[in-house]
Amino acid sequence: MARIIGGVGTTHVPSIGKAIADGKQKDPYWSPFFNGFHEVHRWLAREKPDVAVVFSNDHGLNFFLDKMPTFAIGAASEYRNEDEGWGIPVSKSAAGIPNLSWHIIEALVADEFDVTMCQEMLVDHAITIPMSLMWPAEGAWPVKIVPITINTVQHPLPSLARAYNLGRSVGRAIEGFEEDLKVMVVGTGGLSHQLDGPRAGFINKEFDRYCMDTLVHDPEKIAGFSVPDFIENAGAQGIEFLNWMAMRGALTGKVSELHRNYHIPISNTAAATMLLENAETDEKPATAESSRELISA
Ligand code: DHB
Ligand code: FE
């Protein structure tokens, strides 16, 4: 059976791609951020996951404001990137694993998450940057991916509780997949930032620390925030934390924090990296019904 070994939360700022292309990882501006990945690299080298299920938000490469699915999931054998206009090189493609994607889609719909299923999907910087950070070596990335996008862009947005419950449903689905795969989950974006309007440049260190601390052992507490309250605290784009909530929801076992890095600023963003381990427990995974009762979305 497939096994969820852990999760990574990471910022996805596009200019990281330019820094990688220009080899600036050791520059004084960039090194406090890139150094935060050494521990992740050691863990990945040790654990060697087969698959990464990646929760992120699309920034206009697939879905624009005219058509915005709340939740969409890729079921393709390959995911290409295209020029998004950030001035960074177009990324290599990521390989997909359609049979696992379809298994997760079936389970999500059975759990009443009516997702948009995408047999073609482009991946933007919210996936390519985290992939390049986790696996910086040349050549194909050593994992297959299942991309799951959550709308963090066009209101009304799903609640934090809903994103967390989506993750729980994905976690149960992965663990019910019959192939012996080591699966990691990834949540990208955040932490606090706001790119436009009168609060452009807004960052909230205390709130970011609260979110990271609470995410590990008490994620349901964060799930209690309304979207407007969360945005008040984290900035308009800080709500990308929805992707981290889904990542955490998918960790179905005993969760412990192995590593964290937090650095201000990377571009307009408080940049964070977290590595969480998911140890197997004897407890049976919750049924769909009991997880819906856990927190009302
Ligand atoms: C930046 C942050 C983002 O989350 C994003 O999607 C694009 C740009 C930034 O801080 O520059
Ligand atoms: Fe973003």
Side-chain angles (χ1 to χ4, degrees):
M1 300 297 277
R3 197 157 59 81
I4 301 167
I5 57 171
V8 170
T10 169
T11 300
H12 62 216
V13 174
S15 57
I16 297 166
K18 182 87 169 75
I20 293 172
D22 296 344
K24 292 201 166 151
Q25 290 90 334
K26 294 201 168 71
D27 277 21
Y29 178 87
W30 289 103
S31 61
F33 172 70
F34 280 100
N35 288 346
F37 273 83
H38 295 333
E39 199 57 41
V40 177
H41 296 157
R42 281 191 277 273
W43 182 77
L44 290 170
R46 199 168 64 232
E47 296 294 333
K48 297 189 179 56
D50 303 297
V51 177
V53 174
V54 187
F55 296 97
S56 72
N57 53 296
D58 183 87
H59 297 72
L61 196 60
N62 284 282
F63 312 118
F64 202 56
L65 303 182
D66 58 335
K67 293 183 202 71
M68 183 60 72
T70 299
F71 302 122
I73 168 164
S77 51
E78 189 191 20
Y79 301 96
R80 281 190 310 105
N81 175 230
E82 279 182 3
D83 188 354
E84 297 173 69
W86 296 105
I88 61 177
V90 170
S91 163
K92 59 192 169 196
S93 301
I97 174 162
N99 58 342
L100 177 59
S101 288
W102 285 114
H103 173 84
I104 295 173
I105 291 167
E106 301 248 0
L108 283 173
V109 175
D111 270 0
E112 300 176 8
F113 287 96
D114 304 318
V115 292
T116 301
M117 45 199 116
C118 304
Q119 297 189 60
E120 281 186 31
M121 196 188 226
L122 296 170
V123 288
D124 76 5
H125 67 274
I127 292 183
T128 59
I129 296 290
M131 294 293 285
S132 303
L133 285 165
M134 290 187 287
W135 294 281
E138 304 258 311
W141 288 312
V143 291
K144 294 177 172 171
I145 70 162
V146 177
I148 303 181
T149 67
I150 298 178
N151 169 30
T152 69
V153 174
Q154 165 92 325
H155 291 266
L157 309 184
S159 68
L160 289 127
R162 184 81 174 141
Y164 180 70
N165 281 337
L166 174 88
R168 286 178 59 89
S169 186
V170 169
R172 281 195 304 273
I174 294 167
E175 293 192 327
F177 190 62
E178 74 238 347
E179 284 179 39
D180 279 333
L181 295 173
K182 282 175 120 178
V183 180
M184 65 181 289
V185 285
V186 183
T188 90
L191 289 180
S192 60
H193 65 302
Q194 172 142 345
L195 301 178
D196 51 12
R199 290 209 306 165
F202 177 82
I203 277 175
N204 187 343
K205 196 172 168 180
E206 279 69 36
F207 188 68
D208 287 339
R209 182 172 303 125
Y210 166 83
C211 287
M212 288 188 285
D213 289 346
T214 315
L215 189 71
V216 183
H217 296 299
D218 203 1
E220 283 139 46
K221 201 159 158 190
I222 315 178
F225 274 84
S226 71
V227 166
D229 281 350
F230 196 92
I231 287 177
E232 183 71 35
N233 282 290
Q237 280 72 41
I239 193 65
E240 290 178 338
F241 196 73
L242 284 170
N243 303 320
W244 289 55
M245 287 298 285
M247 176 274 285
R248 176 63 185 83
L251 302 177
T252 50
K254 188 171 174 313
V255 175
S256 48
E257 178 178 342
L258 295 187
H259 172 69
R260 145 186 337 191
N261 186 48
Y262 182 77
H263 176 69
I264 297 171
I266 289 298
S267 189
N268 302 288
T269 300
T273 308
M274 275 185 97
L275 172 59
L276 304 178
E277 187 178 55
N278 183 55
E280 282 180 291
T281 57
D282 293 337
E283 283 170 45
K284 281 204 180 129
T287 63
E289 285 70 25
S290 64
S291 91
R292 269 202 295 280
E293 276 158 21
L294 183 67
I295 41 173
S296 46

